[in-house]
């Protein structure tokens, strides 16, 4: 949704169809994002990724979610940050800043998986754009096999070969990768799965209410079958009710994430107790 190419071009080009006064006003109103990036006013929240064995919940990893910080310390939601970054042609700079902050804050996670988001259309050359990320991972002694780079904004990916190039670069360095929000734009699912991810995340729109909706259930089952056929793990995100969780467990989903277990938190959740009988 927020992704734009990171090529060097005038930000006015993105808004060329608007009236000049509107363009200038939008650019002016979004100027704060430049200062936020320069001042590195970004923090991380953690949301657990779990497996469920009968009624026992095991935390297998954490997704690290970026939030902006106002000068007074109040939280800026990510959609607002990336909307402003798109207007200012700063998507690559913001994506990089969030990624580096996530890596820095991942160092407190021991042995578990670490899910870190990235926008593929903001990366035009993996060797150049990801160099600082890899250096920081090495400096912090984080094991590459712990990290799962999570592709977001997949609906904007037009060049699958370019995406494959980025993901192959990750994998060649020992990292895993996941596809986020799969199911949204289902007609592109098989094409996107050509990239052979390690984890496929079923979107909230299809997990929420799945136990009571046959169409959602059918899509969830189809996605699960494709995912397992290619040897990947199926993760249902956005789980909020016991009925939906039981339904997804019965289908055979491997991993889960959502408010039913824990909301994003400034520090990693250490334990989740039994959730149902």
């Amino acid at each position: 949704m927020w992704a734009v190419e990171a090529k060097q071009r005038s930000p006015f080009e993105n808004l060329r169809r608007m009236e000049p006064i509107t363009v200038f006003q939008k650019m002016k109103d979004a100027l704060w994002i430049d200062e936020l990036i320069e001042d590195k006013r970004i923090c991380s929240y953690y949301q657990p990724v779990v497996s469920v064995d009968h009624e026992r919940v095991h935390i297998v990893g954490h997704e690290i979610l970026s939030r902006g910080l106002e000068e007074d310390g109040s939280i800026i939601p990510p959609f607002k940050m990336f909307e402003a970054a798109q207007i200012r042609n700063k998507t690559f700079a913001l994506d990089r800043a969030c990624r580096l902050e996530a890596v820095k804050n991942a160092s407190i996670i021991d042995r578990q998986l670490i899910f870190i988001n990235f926008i593929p259309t903001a990366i035009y050359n993996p060797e150049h754009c990801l160099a600082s990320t890899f250096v920081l991972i090495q400096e912090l002694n984080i094991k590459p096999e712990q990290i799962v780079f999570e592709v977001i904004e997949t609906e904007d990916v037009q060049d699958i070969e370019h995406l494959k190039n980025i993901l192959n670069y990750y994998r060649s360095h020992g990292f895993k990768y996941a596809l986020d929000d799969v199911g949204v734009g289902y007609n592109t699912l098989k094409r996107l799965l050509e990239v052979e991810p390690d984890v496929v995340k079923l979107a909230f729109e299809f997990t929420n209410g799945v136990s009571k909706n046959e169409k959602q259930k059918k899509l969830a089952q189809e996605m699960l079958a494709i995912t397992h056929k290619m040897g990947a793990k199926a993760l249902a995100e956005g789980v909020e009710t016991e009925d939906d969780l039981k339904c997804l467990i019965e289908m055979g989903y491997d991993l889960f994430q959502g408010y039913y277990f824990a909301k994003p938190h400034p520090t990693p959740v250490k334990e989740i107790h039994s959730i149902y009988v």
Side-chain angles (χ1 to χ4, degrees):
M1 185 185 302
W2 312 120
V4 294
E5 292 183 4
K7 297 176 181 177
Q8 296 299 315
R9 61 184 180 185
S10 168
F12 296 107
E13 188 177 334
N14 295 324
L15 305 171
R16 61 184 179 275
R17 295 183 180 179
M18 295 184 179
E19 294 296 327
I21 294 176
T22 304
V23 172
F24 278 111
Q25 188 59 51
K26 283 185 172 291
M27 291 287 291
K28 182 180 178 181
D29 291 345
L31 184 61
W32 59 270
I33 195 66
D34 297 50
E35 298 171 355
L36 181 145
I37 295 169
E38 184 176 352
D39 296 342
K40 299 179 180 179
R41 285 188 280 111
I42 297 169
C43 66
S44 296
Y45 275 56
Y46 306 79
Q47 188 174 32
V49 172
V50 308
S51 64
V52 180
D53 179 14
H54 300 292
E55 74 276 11
R56 291 184 61 83
V57 179
H58 306 277
I59 298 175
V60 301
H62 299 267
E63 181 176 357
I64 302 183
L65 303 162
S66 295
R67 303 286 187 265
L69 292 171
E70 297 280 10
E71 291 185 354
D72 63 3
S74 57
I75 296 295
I76 304 171
F79 77 87
K80 185 177 179 181
M81 288 197 298
F82 280 96
E83 185 177 52
Q86 183 181 32
I87 292 171
R88 298 285 302 174
N89 198 33
K90 295 285 185 177
T91 302
F92 169 71
L94 180 58
D95 181 61
R96 178 180 178 275
C98 290
R99 194 181 334 117
L100 291 174
E101 186 67 17
V103 171
K104 184 177 75 174
N105 293 321
S107 60
I108 64 174
I109 298 173
D110 185 26
R111 293 189 295 273
Q112 295 170 325
L113 294 176
I114 301 162
F115 289 75
I116 296 176
N117 296 326
F118 80 99
I119 300 176
T121 48
I123 296 175
Y124 55 90
N125 182 307
E127 292 186 20
H128 173 72
C129 296
L130 301 175
S132 55
T133 302
F134 290 175
V135 168
L136 184 57
I137 288 169
Q138 291 175 335
E139 289 178 351
L140 295 173
N141 293 317
I142 300 172
K143 295 178 180 178
E145 60 267 25
Q146 279 184 266
I147 294 184
V148 183
F149 283 106
E150 188 169 323
V151 183
I152 61 174
E153 310 301 350
T154 49
E155 71 271 20
D156 285 335
V157 175
Q158 301 299 321
D159 187 348
I160 293 296
E161 291 306 314
H162 177 60
L163 177 59
K164 285 182 179 180
N165 186 36
I166 297 170
L167 298 178
N168 286 337
Y169 189 72
Y170 278 133
R171 185 164 277 167
S172 70
H173 285 74
F175 304 105
K176 300 179 178 67
Y177 54 85
L179 292 184
D180 188 30
D181 283 340
V182 173
V184 178
Y186 183 61
N187 60 337
T188 65
L189 175 60
K190 291 183 179 179
R191 184 166 65 95
L192 288 172
L193 291 182
E194 291 175 11
V195 300
E196 298 182 347
D198 300 283
V199 179
V200 177
K201 300 181 75 171
L202 179 66
F204 169 84
E205 290 86 344
F206 299 98
T207 59
N208 188 254
V210 67
S211 58
K212 298 177 176 61
N213 187 303
E214 290 302 318
K215 289 183 178 180
Q216 287 179 226
K217 191 178 296 184
K218 181 180 178 182
L219 186 142
Q221 290 170 330
E222 290 176 348
M223 197 211 83
L224 177 68
I226 294 172
T227 300
H228 280 174
K229 185 176 181 180
M230 54 192 269
K233 296 286 187 182
L235 190 162
E237 60 181 345
V239 177
E240 295 189 351
T241 70
E242 181 177 316
D243 287 345
D244 289 344
L245 175 60
K246 287 182 175 179
C247 178
L248 292 160
I249 290 173
E250 289 173 2
M251 282 187 205
Y253 272 75
D254 308 292
L255 302 171
F256 308 89
Q257 185 179 4
Y259 284 9
Y260 187 70
F261 305 101
K263 294 182 179 181
H265 195 267
T267 57
V269 174
K270 298 295 185 183
E271 186 178 4
I272 300 173
H273 297 287
S274 300
I275 49 175
Y276 64 83
V277 178

